[in-house]
Amino acid sequence: MSTGITVSEEVAETFMNFKLKKENCKGSNFLTFKINDKGKEIVLDKIADSGEGFEEFVEQLPEDDGLYGVIDVKYETSDNRSTSKMIFVSWVPDTMRIKKKNALCRIEGSIEINP
């Protein structure tokens, strides 16, 4: 389904760096993305600083605007191996404007980041 909203090149490049822990994403545990002011493109909102984790991710969520996030959650398996999983988050608060809320929900399932 085409929504008319595209993913910026910066988002695609930054997401790949985040996955590979390269360049500007070394030590980063999360990224956030948002729809730009014109409502036409998903743009980079924030690259977490080194040491920022889930608590900082939650603290920066806006009360009246939505965004997407990718969090690298580190954990230990039952056989004591350290590993991590990337989790995609769609933040759509009840207080968000209806038009923007609909846009976020429509494109959530169709986001593909292919650099």
Side-chain angles (χ1 to χ4, degrees), residues 9-47:
E9 287 291 323
E10 180 185 27
V11 166
E13 184 178 315
T14 303
F15 179 73
M16 290 306 295
N17 287 341
F18 181 73
K19 279 177 47 175
L20 300 172
K21 296 297 181 193
K22 291 175 35 177
E23 298 176 19
N24 56 344
C25 295
K26 284 181 182 174
S28 180
N29 291 318
F30 68 86
L31 302 173
T32 57
F33 313 104
K34 63 182 181 179
I35 297 176
N36 69 358
D37 294 336
K38 294 180 181 181
K40 299 291 183 191
E41 188 174 43
I42 298 173
V43 296
L44 183 64
D45 181 49
K46 177 178 179 156
I47 300 172

PDB file of all heavy atoms in Angstrom, residues 9-47:
ATOM      1  N   GLU A   9      17.117   9.111   2.806  1.00  0.00           N
ATOM      2  CA  GLU A   9      18.401   8.422   2.649  1.00  0.00           C
ATOM      3  C   GLU A   9      19.163   8.394   3.969  1.00  0.00           C
ATOM      4  O   GLU A   9      19.818   7.406   4.295  1.00  0.00           O
ATOM      5  CB  GLU A   9      19.243   9.127   1.579  1.00  0.00           C
ATOM      6  CG  GLU A   9      18.746   8.891   0.178  1.00  0.00           C
ATOM      7  CD  GLU A   9      18.953   7.451  -0.271  1.00  0.00           C
ATOM      8  OE1 GLU A   9      19.982   6.843   0.083  1.00  0.00           O
ATOM      9  OE2 GLU A   9      18.070   6.933  -0.962  1.00  0.00           O
ATOM     10  N   GLU A  10      19.081   9.487   4.736  1.00  0.00           N
ATOM     11  CA  GLU A  10      19.778   9.565   6.019  1.00  0.00           C
ATOM     12  C   GLU A  10      19.280   8.484   6.969  1.00  0.00           C
ATOM     13  O   GLU A  10      20.068   7.870   7.689  1.00  0.00           O
ATOM     14  CB  GLU A  10      19.582  10.952   6.648  1.00  0.00           C
ATOM     15  CG  GLU A  10      20.280  11.100   7.984  1.00  0.00           C
ATOM     16  CD  GLU A  10      19.985  12.421   8.675  1.00  0.00           C
ATOM     17  OE1 GLU A  10      18.905  13.001   8.440  1.00  0.00           O
ATOM     18  OE2 GLU A  10      20.836  12.847   9.473  1.00  0.00           O
ATOM     19  N   VAL A  11      17.977   8.232   6.983  1.00  0.00           N
ATOM     20  CA  VAL A  11      17.409   7.191   7.846  1.00  0.00           C
ATOM     21  C   VAL A  11      17.945   5.824   7.430  1.00  0.00           C
ATOM     22  O   VAL A  11      18.381   5.033   8.265  1.00  0.00           O
ATOM     23  CB  VAL A  11      15.867   7.214   7.805  1.00  0.00           C
ATOM     24  CG1 VAL A  11      15.283   5.943   8.409  1.00  0.00           C
ATOM     25  CG2 VAL A  11      15.342   8.429   8.542  1.00  0.00           C
ATOM     26  N   ALA A  12      17.929   5.533   6.136  1.00  0.00           N
ATOM     27  CA  ALA A  12      18.407   4.239   5.645  1.00  0.00           C
ATOM     28  C   ALA A  12      19.882   4.029   5.992  1.00  0.00           C
ATOM     29  O   ALA A  12      20.265   2.969   6.494  1.00  0.00           O
ATOM     30  CB  ALA A  12      18.188   4.145   4.143  1.00  0.00           C
ATOM     31  N   GLU A  13      20.691   5.032   5.765  1.00  0.00           N
ATOM     32  CA  GLU A  13      22.126   4.932   6.046  1.00  0.00           C
ATOM     33  C   GLU A  13      22.386   4.790   7.542  1.00  0.00           C
ATOM     34  O   GLU A  13      23.188   3.949   7.970  1.00  0.00           O
ATOM     35  CB  GLU A  13      22.840   6.170   5.498  1.00  0.00           C
ATOM     36  CG  GLU A  13      24.339   6.125   5.658  1.00  0.00           C
ATOM     37  CD  GLU A  13      25.002   7.354   5.051  1.00  0.00           C
ATOM     38  OE1 GLU A  13      24.628   7.745   3.931  1.00  0.00           O
ATOM     39  OE2 GLU A  13      25.887   7.913   5.718  1.00  0.00           O
ATOM     40  N   THR A  14      21.710   5.601   8.344  1.00  0.00           N
ATOM     41  CA  THR A  14      21.902   5.551   9.793  1.00  0.00           C
ATOM     42  C   THR A  14      21.427   4.226  10.362  1.00  0.00           C
ATOM     43  O   THR A  14      22.060   3.653  11.251  1.00  0.00           O
ATOM     44  CB  THR A  14      21.172   6.728  10.477  1.00  0.00           C
ATOM     45  OG1 THR A  14      21.645   7.952   9.918  1.00  0.00           O
ATOM     46  CG2 THR A  14      21.421   6.731  11.977  1.00  0.00           C
ATOM     47  N   PHE A  15      20.323   3.698   9.850  1.00  0.00           N
ATOM     48  CA  PHE A  15      19.821   2.415  10.320  1.00  0.00           C
ATOM     49  C   PHE A  15      20.846   1.306  10.050  1.00  0.00           C
ATOM     50  O   PHE A  15      21.096   0.452  10.902  1.00  0.00           O
ATOM     51  CB  PHE A  15      18.486   2.076   9.667  1.00  0.00           C
ATOM     52  CG  PHE A  15      17.935   0.751  10.094  1.00  0.00           C
ATOM     53  CD1 PHE A  15      17.406   0.584  11.359  1.00  0.00           C
ATOM     54  CD2 PHE A  15      17.965  -0.335   9.238  1.00  0.00           C
ATOM     55  CE1 PHE A  15      16.905  -0.642  11.769  1.00  0.00           C
ATOM     56  CE2 PHE A  15      17.461  -1.565   9.627  1.00  0.00           C
ATOM     57  CZ  PHE A  15      16.937  -1.718  10.902  1.00  0.00           C
ATOM     58  N   MET A  16      21.450   1.298   8.867  1.00  0.00           N
ATOM     59  CA  MET A  16      22.474   0.292   8.557  1.00  0.00           C
ATOM     60  C   MET A  16      23.689   0.446   9.467  1.00  0.00           C
ATOM     61  O   MET A  16      24.240  -0.545   9.956  1.00  0.00           O
ATOM     62  CB  MET A  16      22.884   0.365   7.086  1.00  0.00           C
ATOM     63  CG  MET A  16      21.815  -0.112   6.134  1.00  0.00           C
ATOM     64  SD  MET A  16      21.181  -1.770   6.486  1.00  0.00           S
ATOM     65  CE  MET A  16      22.633  -2.762   6.186  1.00  0.00           C
ATOM     66  N   ASN A  17      24.101   1.683   9.738  1.00  0.00           N
ATOM     67  CA  ASN A  17      25.209   1.918  10.671  1.00  0.00           C
ATOM     68  C   ASN A  17      24.851   1.424  12.064  1.00  0.00           C
ATOM     69  O   ASN A  17      25.699   0.880  12.773  1.00  0.00           O
ATOM     70  CB  ASN A  17      25.579   3.401  10.716  1.00  0.00           C
ATOM     71  CG  ASN A  17      26.298   3.860   9.479  1.00  0.00           C
ATOM     72  OD1 ASN A  17      26.839   3.059   8.730  1.00  0.00           O
ATOM     73  ND2 ASN A  17      26.295   5.159   9.246  1.00  0.00           N
ATOM     74  N   PHE A  18      23.603   1.617  12.461  1.00  0.00           N
ATOM     75  CA  PHE A  18      23.144   1.170  13.777  1.00  0.00           C
ATOM     76  C   PHE A  18      23.200  -0.358  13.862  1.00  0.00           C
ATOM     77  O   PHE A  18      23.671  -0.923  14.844  1.00  0.00           O
ATOM     78  CB  PHE A  18      21.718   1.674  14.025  1.00  0.00           C
ATOM     79  CG  PHE A  18      21.155   1.300  15.356  1.00  0.00           C
ATOM     80  CD1 PHE A  18      21.599   1.912  16.520  1.00  0.00           C
ATOM     81  CD2 PHE A  18      20.160   0.336  15.464  1.00  0.00           C
ATOM     82  CE1 PHE A  18      21.077   1.569  17.755  1.00  0.00           C
ATOM     83  CE2 PHE A  18      19.626  -0.007  16.682  1.00  0.00           C
ATOM     84  CZ  PHE A  18      20.081   0.608  17.835  1.00  0.00           C
ATOM     85  N   LYS A  19      22.700  -1.035  12.842  1.00  0.00           N
ATOM     86  CA  LYS A  19      22.725  -2.502  12.820  1.00  0.00           C
ATOM     87  C   LYS A  19      24.147  -3.038  12.915  1.00  0.00           C
ATOM     88  O   LYS A  19      24.398  -4.032  13.596  1.00  0.00           O
ATOM     89  CB  LYS A  19      22.089  -3.033  11.533  1.00  0.00           C
ATOM     90  CG  LYS A  19      20.598  -3.066  11.554  1.00  0.00           C
ATOM     91  CD  LYS A  19      19.972  -3.518  10.266  1.00  0.00           C
ATOM     92  CE  LYS A  19      20.556  -4.743   9.643  1.00  0.00           C
ATOM     93  NZ  LYS A  19      19.823  -5.199   8.444  1.00  0.00           N
ATOM     94  N   LEU A  20      25.063  -2.369  12.230  1.00  0.00           N
ATOM     95  CA  LEU A  20      26.448  -2.835  12.176  1.00  0.00           C
ATOM     96  C   LEU A  20      27.342  -2.185  13.235  1.00  0.00           C
ATOM     97  O   LEU A  20      28.534  -2.493  13.313  1.00  0.00           O
ATOM     98  CB  LEU A  20      27.024  -2.562  10.779  1.00  0.00           C
ATOM     99  CG  LEU A  20      26.275  -3.245   9.635  1.00  0.00           C
ATOM    100  CD1 LEU A  20      26.809  -2.754   8.294  1.00  0.00           C
ATOM    101  CD2 LEU A  20      26.368  -4.751   9.745  1.00  0.00           C
ATOM    102  N   LYS A  21      26.765  -1.272  14.027  1.00  0.00           N
ATOM    103  CA  LYS A  21      27.499  -0.542  15.072  1.00  0.00           C
ATOM    104  C   LYS A  21      28.721   0.155  14.487  1.00  0.00           C
ATOM    105  O   LYS A  21      29.832   0.031  14.980  1.00  0.00           O
ATOM    106  CB  LYS A  21      27.904  -1.474  16.221  1.00  0.00           C
ATOM    107  CG  LYS A  21      26.734  -2.064  16.963  1.00  0.00           C
ATOM    108  CD  LYS A  21      25.923  -0.984  17.617  1.00  0.00           C
ATOM    109  CE  LYS A  21      24.750  -1.553  18.393  1.00  0.00           C
ATOM    110  NZ  LYS A  21      23.807  -0.527  18.776  1.00  0.00           N
ATOM    111  N   LYS A  22      28.488   0.903  13.399  1.00  0.00           N
ATOM    112  CA  LYS A  22      29.549   1.612  12.695  1.00  0.00           C
ATOM    113  C   LYS A  22      29.359   3.117  12.790  1.00  0.00           C
ATOM    114  O   LYS A  22      28.290   3.598  13.125  1.00  0.00           O
ATOM    115  CB  LYS A  22      29.539   1.219  11.203  1.00  0.00           C
ATOM    116  CG  LYS A  22      29.962  -0.193  10.919  1.00  0.00           C
ATOM    117  CD  LYS A  22      29.832  -0.596   9.478  1.00  0.00           C
ATOM    118  CE  LYS A  22      30.118   0.457   8.474  1.00  0.00           C
ATOM    119  NZ  LYS A  22      30.041   0.023   7.084  1.00  0.00           N
ATOM    120  N   GLU A  23      30.423   3.836  12.447  1.00  0.00           N
ATOM    121  CA  GLU A  23      30.445   5.282  12.283  1.00  0.00           C
ATOM    122  C   GLU A  23      29.718   6.025  13.389  1.00  0.00           C
ATOM    123  O   GLU A  23      30.072   5.904  14.548  1.00  0.00           O
ATOM    124  CB  GLU A  23      29.931   5.655  10.889  1.00  0.00           C
ATOM    125  CG  GLU A  23      30.789   5.095   9.772  1.00  0.00           C
ATOM    126  CD  GLU A  23      30.235   5.373   8.401  1.00  0.00           C
ATOM    127  OE1 GLU A  23      29.404   6.284   8.252  1.00  0.00           O
ATOM    128  OE2 GLU A  23      30.655   4.677   7.459  1.00  0.00           O
ATOM    129  N   ASN A  24      28.680   6.769  13.045  1.00  0.00           N
ATOM    130  CA  ASN A  24      28.003   7.632  14.018  1.00  0.00           C
ATOM    131  C   ASN A  24      27.122   6.857  15.006  1.00  0.00           C
ATOM    132  O   ASN A  24      26.522   7.454  15.884  1.00  0.00           O
ATOM    133  CB  ASN A  24      27.170   8.694  13.305  1.00  0.00           C
ATOM    134  CG  ASN A  24      26.163   8.087  12.341  1.00  0.00           C
ATOM    135  OD1 ASN A  24      26.251   6.931  11.959  1.00  0.00           O
ATOM    136  ND2 ASN A  24      25.204   8.895  11.928  1.00  0.00           N
ATOM    137  N   CYS A  25      27.050   5.534  14.885  1.00  0.00           N
ATOM    138  CA  CYS A  25      26.188   4.727  15.762  1.00  0.00           C
ATOM    139  C   CYS A  25      26.965   3.807  16.696  1.00  0.00           C
ATOM    140  O   CYS A  25      26.365   2.975  17.378  1.00  0.00           O
ATOM    141  CB  CYS A  25      25.212   3.909  14.928  1.00  0.00           C
ATOM    142  SG  CYS A  25      24.041   4.936  14.031  1.00  0.00           S
ATOM    143  N   LYS A  26      28.280   3.953  16.759  1.00  0.00           N
ATOM    144  CA  LYS A  26      29.076   3.141  17.682  1.00  0.00           C
ATOM    145  C   LYS A  26      28.630   3.464  19.104  1.00  0.00           C
ATOM    146  O   LYS A  26      28.571   4.624  19.492  1.00  0.00           O
ATOM    147  CB  LYS A  26      30.559   3.444  17.541  1.00  0.00           C
ATOM    148  CG  LYS A  26      31.188   2.849  16.316  1.00  0.00           C
ATOM    149  CD  LYS A  26      32.666   3.164  16.265  1.00  0.00           C
ATOM    150  CE  LYS A  26      33.277   2.609  15.004  1.00  0.00           C
ATOM    151  NZ  LYS A  26      34.668   3.002  14.851  1.00  0.00           N
ATOM    152  N   GLY A  27      28.294   2.452  19.874  1.00  0.00           N
ATOM    153  CA  GLY A  27      27.909   2.654  21.266  1.00  0.00           C
ATOM    154  C   GLY A  27      26.480   3.121  21.459  1.00  0.00           C
ATOM    155  O   GLY A  27      26.019   3.287  22.574  1.00  0.00           O
ATOM    156  N   SER A  28      25.753   3.328  20.381  1.00  0.00           N
ATOM    157  CA  SER A  28      24.371   3.802  20.482  1.00  0.00           C
ATOM    158  C   SER A  28      23.420   2.620  20.710  1.00  0.00           C
ATOM    159  O   SER A  28      23.558   1.578  20.094  1.00  0.00           O
ATOM    160  CB  SER A  28      23.989   4.521  19.189  1.00  0.00           C
ATOM    161  OG  SER A  28      22.673   4.989  19.268  1.00  0.00           O
ATOM    162  N   ASN A  29      22.448   2.820  21.606  1.00  0.00           N
ATOM    163  CA  ASN A  29      21.491   1.760  21.924  1.00  0.00           C
ATOM    164  C   ASN A  29      20.111   1.993  21.320  1.00  0.00           C
ATOM    165  O   ASN A  29      19.257   1.112  21.417  1.00  0.00           O
ATOM    166  CB  ASN A  29      21.361   1.588  23.439  1.00  0.00           C
ATOM    167  CG  ASN A  29      22.623   1.017  24.036  1.00  0.00           C
ATOM    168  OD1 ASN A  29      23.224   0.103  23.490  1.00  0.00           O
ATOM    169  ND2 ASN A  29      23.043   1.580  25.153  1.00  0.00           N
ATOM    170  N   PHE A  30      19.864   3.176  20.769  1.00  0.00           N
ATOM    171  CA  PHE A  30      18.579   3.397  20.114  1.00  0.00           C
ATOM    172  C   PHE A  30      18.647   4.535  19.102  1.00  0.00           C
ATOM    173  O   PHE A  30      19.523   5.390  19.159  1.00  0.00           O
ATOM    174  CB  PHE A  30      17.439   3.626  21.111  1.00  0.00           C
ATOM    175  CG  PHE A  30      17.511   4.917  21.894  1.00  0.00           C
ATOM    176  CD1 PHE A  30      16.990   6.097  21.371  1.00  0.00           C
ATOM    177  CD2 PHE A  30      18.039   4.945  23.164  1.00  0.00           C
ATOM    178  CE1 PHE A  30      17.028   7.274  22.089  1.00  0.00           C
ATOM    179  CE2 PHE A  30      18.078   6.111  23.905  1.00  0.00           C
ATOM    180  CZ  PHE A  30      17.575   7.279  23.361  1.00  0.00           C
ATOM    181  N   LEU A  31      17.701   4.493  18.171  1.00  0.00           N
ATOM    182  CA  LEU A  31      17.476   5.549  17.191  1.00  0.00           C
ATOM    183  C   LEU A  31      16.009   5.908  17.244  1.00  0.00           C
ATOM    184  O   LEU A  31      15.169   5.057  17.541  1.00  0.00           O
ATOM    185  CB  LEU A  31      17.763   5.059  15.765  1.00  0.00           C
ATOM    186  CG  LEU A  31      19.123   4.509  15.418  1.00  0.00           C
ATOM    187  CD1 LEU A  31      19.096   3.943  13.989  1.00  0.00           C
ATOM    188  CD2 LEU A  31      20.176   5.587  15.528  1.00  0.00           C
ATOM    189  N   THR A  32      15.676   7.147  16.929  1.00  0.00           N
ATOM    190  CA  THR A  32      14.272   7.512  16.757  1.00  0.00           C
ATOM    191  C   THR A  32      14.100   8.233  15.425  1.00  0.00           C
ATOM    192  O   THR A  32      15.003   8.921  14.943  1.00  0.00           O
ATOM    193  CB  THR A  32      13.736   8.407  17.899  1.00  0.00           C
ATOM    194  OG1 THR A  32      14.520   9.589  18.000  1.00  0.00           O
ATOM    195  CG2 THR A  32      13.740   7.672  19.227  1.00  0.00           C
ATOM    196  N   PHE A  33      12.927   8.023  14.816  1.00  0.00           N
ATOM    197  CA  PHE A  33      12.565   8.613  13.540  1.00  0.00           C
ATOM    198  C   PHE A  33      11.188   9.238  13.673  1.00  0.00           C
ATOM    199  O   PHE A  33      10.381   8.797  14.487  1.00  0.00           O
ATOM    200  CB  PHE A  33      12.500   7.534  12.438  1.00  0.00           C
ATOM    201  CG  PHE A  33      13.665   6.605  12.421  1.00  0.00           C
ATOM    202  CD1 PHE A  33      13.547   5.319  12.905  1.00  0.00           C
ATOM    203  CD2 PHE A  33      14.890   7.013  11.919  1.00  0.00           C
ATOM    204  CE1 PHE A  33      14.622   4.441  12.883  1.00  0.00           C
ATOM    205  CE2 PHE A  33      15.969   6.152  11.890  1.00  0.00           C
ATOM    206  CZ  PHE A  33      15.834   4.863  12.377  1.00  0.00           C
ATOM    207  N   LYS A  34      10.924  10.237  12.846  1.00  0.00           N
ATOM    208  CA  LYS A  34       9.605  10.872  12.862  1.00  0.00           C
ATOM    209  C   LYS A  34       9.214  11.267  11.450  1.00  0.00           C
ATOM    210  O   LYS A  34      10.045  11.258  10.538  1.00  0.00           O
ATOM    211  CB  LYS A  34       9.613  12.099  13.768  1.00  0.00           C
ATOM    212  CG  LYS A  34      10.552  13.203  13.297  1.00  0.00           C
ATOM    213  CD  LYS A  34      10.553  14.368  14.256  1.00  0.00           C
ATOM    214  CE  LYS A  34      11.481  15.464  13.743  1.00  0.00           C
ATOM    215  NZ  LYS A  34      11.483  16.611  14.630  1.00  0.00           N
ATOM    216  N   ILE A  35       7.962  11.616  11.277  1.00  0.00           N
ATOM    217  CA  ILE A  35       7.499  12.146  10.004  1.00  0.00           C
ATOM    218  C   ILE A  35       7.829  13.639   9.999  1.00  0.00           C
ATOM    219  O   ILE A  35       7.554  14.341  10.981  1.00  0.00           O
ATOM    220  CB  ILE A  35       5.988  11.915   9.821  1.00  0.00           C
ATOM    221  CG1 ILE A  35       5.689  10.417   9.787  1.00  0.00           C
ATOM    222  CG2 ILE A  35       5.498  12.579   8.541  1.00  0.00           C
ATOM    223  CD1 ILE A  35       4.216  10.079   9.711  1.00  0.00           C
ATOM    224  N   ASN A  36       8.406  14.122   8.903  1.00  0.00           N
ATOM    225  CA  ASN A  36       8.799  15.535   8.851  1.00  0.00           C
ATOM    226  C   ASN A  36       7.580  16.459   8.901  1.00  0.00           C
ATOM    227  O   ASN A  36       6.437  16.015   8.812  1.00  0.00           O
ATOM    228  CB  ASN A  36       9.695  15.832   7.634  1.00  0.00           C
ATOM    229  CG  ASN A  36       8.968  15.725   6.308  1.00  0.00           C
ATOM    230  OD1 ASN A  36       7.782  15.400   6.225  1.00  0.00           O
ATOM    231  ND2 ASN A  36       9.689  15.998   5.238  1.00  0.00           N
ATOM    232  N   ASP A  37       7.841  17.750   9.049  1.00  0.00           N
ATOM    233  CA  ASP A  37       6.770  18.740   9.200  1.00  0.00           C
ATOM    234  C   ASP A  37       5.823  18.791   8.010  1.00  0.00           C
ATOM    235  O   ASP A  37       4.651  19.133   8.151  1.00  0.00           O
ATOM    236  CB  ASP A  37       7.363  20.131   9.454  1.00  0.00           C
ATOM    237  CG  ASP A  37       8.090  20.207  10.793  1.00  0.00           C
ATOM    238  OD1 ASP A  37       7.761  19.399  11.692  1.00  0.00           O
ATOM    239  OD2 ASP A  37       8.977  21.057  10.937  1.00  0.00           O
ATOM    240  N   LYS A  38       6.323  18.465   6.828  1.00  0.00           N
ATOM    241  CA  LYS A  38       5.470  18.474   5.641  1.00  0.00           C
ATOM    242  C   LYS A  38       4.643  17.195   5.516  1.00  0.00           C
ATOM    243  O   LYS A  38       3.761  17.110   4.668  1.00  0.00           O
ATOM    244  CB  LYS A  38       6.323  18.656   4.382  1.00  0.00           C
ATOM    245  CG  LYS A  38       6.988  20.010   4.309  1.00  0.00           C
ATOM    246  CD  LYS A  38       7.805  20.137   3.043  1.00  0.00           C
ATOM    247  CE  LYS A  38       8.489  21.497   3.005  1.00  0.00           C
ATOM    248  NZ  LYS A  38       9.278  21.662   1.785  1.00  0.00           N
ATOM    249  N   GLY A  39       4.946  16.193   6.349  1.00  0.00           N
ATOM    250  CA  GLY A  39       4.196  14.944   6.326  1.00  0.00           C
ATOM    251  C   GLY A  39       4.493  14.057   5.132  1.00  0.00           C
ATOM    252  O   GLY A  39       3.693  13.193   4.784  1.00  0.00           O
ATOM    253  N   LYS A  40       5.661  14.243   4.515  1.00  0.00           N
ATOM    254  CA  LYS A  40       5.988  13.513   3.289  1.00  0.00           C
ATOM    255  C   LYS A  40       7.141  12.526   3.428  1.00  0.00           C
ATOM    256  O   LYS A  40       7.374  11.722   2.540  1.00  0.00           O
ATOM    257  CB  LYS A  40       6.340  14.499   2.163  1.00  0.00           C
ATOM    258  CG  LYS A  40       5.225  15.443   1.808  1.00  0.00           C
ATOM    259  CD  LYS A  40       4.100  14.712   1.136  1.00  0.00           C
ATOM    260  CE  LYS A  40       3.006  15.679   0.722  1.00  0.00           C
ATOM    261  NZ  LYS A  40       1.807  14.995   0.306  1.00  0.00           N
ATOM    262  N   GLU A  41       7.892  12.601   4.550  1.00  0.00           N
ATOM    263  CA  GLU A  41       9.100  11.787   4.644  1.00  0.00           C
ATOM    264  C   GLU A  41       9.388  11.413   6.095  1.00  0.00           C
ATOM    265  O   GLU A  41       9.161  12.195   7.008  1.00  0.00           O
ATOM    266  CB  GLU A  41      10.280  12.582   4.065  1.00  0.00           C
ATOM    267  CG  GLU A  41      11.550  11.811   3.922  1.00  0.00           C
ATOM    268  CD  GLU A  41      12.631  12.613   3.210  1.00  0.00           C
ATOM    269  OE1 GLU A  41      12.801  13.818   3.505  1.00  0.00           O
ATOM    270  OE2 GLU A  41      13.299  12.026   2.356  1.00  0.00           O
ATOM    271  N   ILE A  42       9.912  10.200   6.291  1.00  0.00           N
ATOM    272  CA  ILE A  42      10.383   9.781   7.607  1.00  0.00           C
ATOM    273  C   ILE A  42      11.838  10.213   7.708  1.00  0.00           C
ATOM    274  O   ILE A  42      12.654   9.872   6.851  1.00  0.00           O
ATOM    275  CB  ILE A  42      10.255   8.262   7.786  1.00  0.00           C
ATOM    276  CG1 ILE A  42       8.785   7.856   7.700  1.00  0.00           C
ATOM    277  CG2 ILE A  42      10.846   7.835   9.127  1.00  0.00           C
ATOM    278  CD1 ILE A  42       8.547   6.370   7.694  1.00  0.00           C
ATOM    279  N   VAL A  43      12.146  10.990   8.745  1.00  0.00           N
ATOM    280  CA  VAL A  43      13.479  11.559   8.925  1.00  0.00           C
ATOM    281  C   VAL A  43      14.054  11.135  10.275  1.00  0.00           C
ATOM    282  O   VAL A  43      13.322  10.737  11.185  1.00  0.00           O
ATOM    283  CB  VAL A  43      13.463  13.099   8.808  1.00  0.00           C
ATOM    284  CG1 VAL A  43      13.051  13.539   7.413  1.00  0.00           C
ATOM    285  CG2 VAL A  43      12.551  13.718   9.852  1.00  0.00           C
ATOM    286  N   LEU A  44      15.363  11.238  10.395  1.00  0.00           N
ATOM    287  CA  LEU A  44      16.048  10.912  11.631  1.00  0.00           C
ATOM    288  C   LEU A  44      15.709  11.942  12.699  1.00  0.00           C
ATOM    289  O   LEU A  44      15.742  13.138  12.445  1.00  0.00           O
ATOM    290  CB  LEU A  44      17.558  10.882  11.381  1.00  0.00           C
ATOM    291  CG  LEU A  44      18.438  10.488  12.557  1.00  0.00           C
ATOM    292  CD1 LEU A  44      18.162   9.045  12.972  1.00  0.00           C
ATOM    293  CD2 LEU A  44      19.899  10.663  12.188  1.00  0.00           C
ATOM    294  N   ASP A  45      15.354  11.467  13.880  1.00  0.00           N
ATOM    295  CA  ASP A  45      15.057  12.357  15.000  1.00  0.00           C
ATOM    296  C   ASP A  45      16.238  12.395  15.965  1.00  0.00           C
ATOM    297  O   ASP A  45      16.702  13.454  16.334  1.00  0.00           O
ATOM    298  CB  ASP A  45      13.794  11.886  15.720  1.00  0.00           C
ATOM    299  CG  ASP A  45      13.393  12.755  16.871  1.00  0.00           C
ATOM    300  OD1 ASP A  45      13.338  13.983  16.704  1.00  0.00           O
ATOM    301  OD2 ASP A  45      13.124  12.213  17.966  1.00  0.00           O
ATOM    302  N   LYS A  46      16.737  11.202  16.365  1.00  0.00           N
ATOM    303  CA  LYS A  46      17.819  11.169  17.353  1.00  0.00           C
ATOM    304  C   LYS A  46      18.626   9.891  17.236  1.00  0.00           C
ATOM    305  O   LYS A  46      18.070   8.820  17.009  1.00  0.00           O
ATOM    306  CB  LYS A  46      17.240  11.265  18.765  1.00  0.00           C
ATOM    307  CG  LYS A  46      18.284  11.167  19.846  1.00  0.00           C
ATOM    308  CD  LYS A  46      17.748  11.311  21.232  1.00  0.00           C
ATOM    309  CE  LYS A  46      18.910  11.157  22.192  1.00  0.00           C
ATOM    310  NZ  LYS A  46      18.722  11.756  23.444  1.00  0.00           N
ATOM    311  N   ILE A  47      19.931  10.029  17.431  1.00  0.00           N
ATOM    312  CA  ILE A  47      20.840   8.902  17.636  1.00  0.00           C
ATOM    313  C   ILE A  47      21.242   8.979  19.097  1.00  0.00           C
ATOM    314  O   ILE A  47      21.761  10.003  19.546  1.00  0.00           O
ATOM    315  CB  ILE A  47      22.096   8.997  16.746  1.00  0.00           C
ATOM    316  CG1 ILE A  47      21.719   9.020  15.270  1.00  0.00           C
ATOM    317  CG2 ILE A  47      23.055   7.851  17.061  1.00  0.00           C
ATOM    318  CD1 ILE A  47      22.886   9.297  14.339  1.00  0.00           C
TER     319      ILE A  47
END
